[in-house]
Structure formats: C-alpha cells, structure tokens
Amino acid sequence: MRVAMFGYQTWGHRTLQALLESGHDVVLAVTHPKSEHAYEKIWDDSVADLAAGHGVPLLLRARPDDELVTALKEAEPDILVANNWRTWIPPEIFRLPRHGTLNVHDSLLPAYAGFSPLIWALINGEEEVGVTAHLMNEELDAGDIVLQRAVRVGPSDTATDLFHRTVALIRPIVRDALALIESGRAAPVAQDRSKASFFHKRSVEDGRIVWSWPAEDIERLVRAQSDPYPNAFTFYKGERIRVLKASVSKGLYGGTPGRVFIREGDGVVIVAGPDARRGRSHGLVIEQVRTESGADLPATEVFRTMGGYLTDR
C-alpha cells in the first residue's frame, strides 16, 4: 500500500521505522518542528532525520494547513498512519485515503485517551498498559479498534520502564494492523464509550506532591515522574526538593500530612494521607532527593533532624 504518516518524537520515529521495514511505499511523512517544551524534549528521536535518511518526502507543520492537504492529495496514499501527532487532524485529511487513518495510541483505549497516558495510568495504579491501533474519527482517540496489545505493570515499574515496553509494541502492531487492513481481514470493534476517560497534557506543575494524598498514590507519582521526566517535588524550608526514590512505610503513622516524622529503613517517613490524623495511614519513606543545586543526596542527609513540614508551596 501507499502510506503517508503523521508523527512526532520517538513514537512517530518508531512508527515511520515500522513502515519503512514493512515493505509498504511510504509516500509522505509529516512531523512537528522541534520544541523546547520540557516534555517534548524527552524521547525526541527525530522523524525528520529518519525520513531524510530514507528519501521520504517530508513536511514540517505545527498543524495541518491547505498546503498539507494538497501535498497529501498529490501523494495519493491508500492509508494514513498517525502516532503522537499533537494537534487536531480534520476530517478532510483523515478521511482522504481510501482506507482512512490508522492512529496508534499508547493506552488501552477507551481508557486514557488524550495525553501522557502511561504517566497517568501509573499514577492511578493500573495493572496493565498498552498500545491501541484504531481508525480515526471526529472524536480524539475514539475510533473503532483494529488491534490492541497490553503489558503488565510491575510494583516497582517507572514511567520509563513502561515507555520502553510499550514503544517495543509499535512495530508489531503497525505491521499487523496494516496487514489486516490490506487483506480485508480487519474487523474493527467500536469502543465502549461508557468506559472512556480523557486526560490532559502534563506539565511540571503536575509533579507537585500533595501530602494529603495516600502514601501509595504519592509513591506511584514519584515512579511516574522518574528521570528523565521532571521529578515529583515538594518544599522543605523554602527550598524545592525533588523526590527521586521513595517507598510506602511499613508502619502506620499519625499526625499532620507533610510532617517530617521518623527514620525508617534507609529513609525518612513523611506523614501522608487524608486520614493521617487518625493514625491509620502509612507514611511515605523518602530515600533519595535532588536539591535545587542539582545534587542527588540520601534523604537522611537533607532531613537531619525530625520535625518541620514538607509543603506543596
């Protein structure tokens, strides 16, 4: 088939790589210009460089425009494949190829449509994450599902771990979905919209620790915001402290959320949870932090005396 693709960052790069290896004729690649946004500098393998290295016609666009529509019509693709395209694709584009547009999204749709699905899923304690290939329609990430693959989330997994495991699914899911569509064997399944959820883009602000959250939720936030993502952070004596490693305490601790309380194991317990005052909650054991100067230190070197509070401002 003649295939055009829309994609950006590593997700788009791996999609184009899969298309180049698939034997299909890649007639056009469309990607965004490079961005200085913190999250868009992570996993930033270049679609533009890959296309140029293989002689694939390339367009750089922040969003679709009339010139892009003309270029697509001239390329005459049988199908368009999209992955991590950051702006709306209008119907005049996604309906243009005879097979429509196959969108590849890194969640198990209909859950976690939208942005940063792996991070949100990890924060929320999901047991599985995955990749979905679906046919694009007017609603973002809502089209009929062609293929879906899942991987388990382990108790110590970080967002980086889940990124690598789900990115590895892109090549086979693109290959297999296109084979089904080309052969006429695809049987797309409508999404159950009663189970749909839609999430916004993350920003550095979303890593702010709220100590009234249960310790289990905060610990997952720390893993979800592990390097190279902007880390989960809190404030101690007016200084921003980034939490690099933490665990849920073995003991139950009572008091006010955010209190620097007691040493446990290799770290320092911070009181946490909406019911912390009742003494029925686990605390968060902070084990390693990064200071504003960029130094990575054991928490016991930063919280040398017990008492005082960690705050979200």
Side-chain angles (χ1 to χ4, degrees), residues 78-99:
D78 297 308
I79 192 166
L80 197 157
V81 179
N83 194 347
N84 197 41
W85 182 257
R86 312 296 280 179
T87 59
W88 183 60
I89 298 176
E92 65 176 322
I93 289 179
F94 70 70
R95 290 177 180 161
L96 192 153
R98 65 189 180 95
H99 290 302

Side-chain angles (χ1 to χ4, degrees), residues 252-288:
L252 301 178
Y253 298 97
T256 302
R259 175 79 174 191
V260 181
F261 191 12
I262 193 171
R263 290 192 178 191
E264 183 182 285
D266 295 328
V268 176
V269 175
I270 311 301
V271 177
D275 291 324
R277 64 186 177 83
R278 301 182 185 278
R280 299 172 186 168
S281 302
H282 293 278
L284 186 79
V285 182
I286 298 181
E287 297 161 9
Q288 188 176 25

